[in-house]
Structure formats: C-alpha cells, structure tokens
Amino acid sequence: MGEAFTLLGFGPEGWGHALLTAGLTTLAVSACAFACGLVLGTLCAWAKIAGPPVLRRAADIYGVVLRGIPDLLVIYLFYFGGRQIVTAIANQFGHTGPVEISGFVAGSLAIGLISGAAQAEVLRGAFHAIPPGTLEAARVTGMRRWTMFRRIIAPQALRTALPGLGNQWQSVIKESALVSVTGLVETLRAVSVAANSTELPFLFFLAGGAIYLAITTVSGLVFRFAEWRAMRGQPAMRVGG
C-alpha cells in the first residue's frame, strides 16, 4: 500500500504530476471537441429544420455517415489521412518532407465531428419541443427572426436540450481516450506509460478509471445544477390525472 501511494504521489518517484497533467489534457481535448460539436450540431440542426433541400440532405448524410463509422476510424482518418493530405499540399508549394499534425487538434476535430452528429439531433428535438403557439405569437407580433431566435427559440430550446447535451459531454469525455492513438499524452496514454514502466498495470489503470470517474461525476453535478437553474420558475410536470 505504501508503494502505491508513493507511485501515485507527487514525489520524485511518483507519477502524480504526469497523471494530473494528463487529466487536464483530457479536459482540454473534451472541451474543444464539445464546443466544435456544438457549433456543427447547431448548423446541422438548423439545416434540418429550416435549411434548403440541399443542406437538409447534406445534414442527413452527415449524421448517417458519422453514426455508421467507428469513432476510432474517424480519428485515424483525421490524424494519419490529414497528415498525408497536408503533406501533399505543402509539397506543391516547395516544402519537402512530411508535415506533422498536432494530435490535440486532430483528436479534437475528429471527436467534435462525431459529437456534432449527435448534438444536432438533441438540438433538433429541443426545437420541436417548443410549443408552436409560442412561435406563431412571435411571428404575429412582427418579431424579426434573429430577435425571435435570441429571445424565444434559444432560451427554450437550450433549456430542453440540457439533459441531452450533458449526456453528449459525458460521451465526449470517454471518447477522448481514443485520442491516445495519436500519441497525445492524455489520461489513457499516461496511465499506459506508467503501467508499462512500473509493471503495475492494475494500479495505474485503476487510477486512470478514478480520474475519468472524477471528471464525469463533477461534470454530472455541474449539468444538474445548470438544469435546476434553467428550470427555475417553470411549472412542475404532473404525472397522472
């Protein structure tokens, strides 16, 4: 037990600093990916709701493709395939040799692209949950589209979408472990290196699980608080007659 505390501590022989840094990297990758997915999901939801037929079809294809391809394959395509494409383009301008792509950037974009497909459905469902009479009343009063979006659609849709977005955030955190294949030292990569170096895989993979569990638990509490704040003043739903 004493050896375990030493190895997980912040002393000269401990891996505490490395694991803490890796945990922060996991949070950073997840936050960037979630933000990217939220932007893509919003645009995709708009295309499905009010976009022209071409954009609506493109949004449908985007969702089908990203839900049908394994997440790990998407990361491989972004990291290794993207590096090949960027290198080919750079060579056309006189650059020689391969061009490296940041594992952080490639991983964040890949996971964001995956998350965007799911977030689009969450946001689309939240929009359709707005009572039609509310939108009709806004149109009758002559409210402009941007004003209606800012004052009515966005507040009500986000209130409804918060639980689904919270679930997507948790999924993004778990998917961030896949970014380790790019060589980025996030939580899974750090605990794998520590386990191989010390030959104590159970201890460090258990520590890695604890890090992920801590992040998801705190995240869940934050989203529950956000849901509570968003629902203040709203009539409680009654079950039964």
Side-chain angles (χ1 to χ4, degrees):
M1 183 64 69
E3 182 185 4
F5 280 115
T6 300
L7 291 173
L8 294 176
F10 293 88
E13 299 180 1
W15 290 80
H17 290 290
L19 296 180
L20 178 60
T21 302
L24 294 176
T25 302
T26 292
L27 273 176
V29 170
S30 300
C32 291
F34 185 80
C36 179
L38 185 60
V39 172
L40 290 173
T42 301
L43 294 175
C44 191
W46 168 81
K48 291 185 176 184
I49 295 169
V54 174
L55 291 181
R56 193 178 305 127
R57 183 61 177 169
D60 289 336
I61 294 174
Y62 164 65
V64 170
V65 170
L66 267 297
R67 285 196 297 267
I69 297 178
D71 298 348
L72 185 59
L73 180 57
V74 176
I75 295 175
Y76 277 136
L77 286 172
F78 261 80
Y79 184 64
F80 296 105
R83 182 169 58 183
Q84 185 176 1
I85 292 173
V86 171
T87 298
I89 294 174
N91 290 339
Q92 295 298 319
F93 291 92
H95 183 276
T96 57
V99 177
E100 295 297 327
I101 294 181
S102 168
F104 184 97
V105 173
S108 297
L109 290 176
I111 296 176
L113 194 67
I114 297 166
S115 178
Q119 292 191 51
E121 294 303 315
V122 172
L123 296 172
R124 186 172 68 91
F127 172 81
H128 287 303
I130 299 175
T134 303
L135 300 179
E136 187 63 29
R139 295 190 187 99
V140 169
T141 59
M143 188 176 293
R144 296 178 180 273
R145 287 187 177 183
W146 172 247
T147 304
M148 183 167 61
F149 174 80
R150 181 168 54 88
R151 294 185 176 180
I152 298 176
I153 297 176
Q156 294 195 29
L158 285 176
R159 184 183 300 124
T160 305
L162 268 175
L165 292 178
N167 290 335
Q168 284 305 309
W169 166 251
Q170 303 284 34
S171 297
V172 166
I173 292 173
K174 290 185 285 187
E175 288 168 358
S176 69
L178 299 175
V179 183
S180 62
V181 299
T182 67
L184 182 68
V185 184
E186 44 67 68
T187 301
L188 183 59
R189 179 78 173 180
V191 296
S192 298
V193 172
N196 291 332
S197 299
T198 61
E199 298 184 353
L200 294 172
F202 181 79
L203 172 65
F204 282 99
F205 284 122
L206 189 64
I211 292 173
Y212 282 112
L213 185 60
I215 294 174
T216 54
T217 300
V218 173
S219 299
L221 293 175
V222 171
F223 270 94
R224 285 184 186 178
F225 177 75
E227 291 174 32
W228 174 77
R229 285 292 300 270
M231 295 304 295
R232 286 194 309 174
Q234 299 297 314
M237 295 184 63
R238 299 178 60 183
V239 179

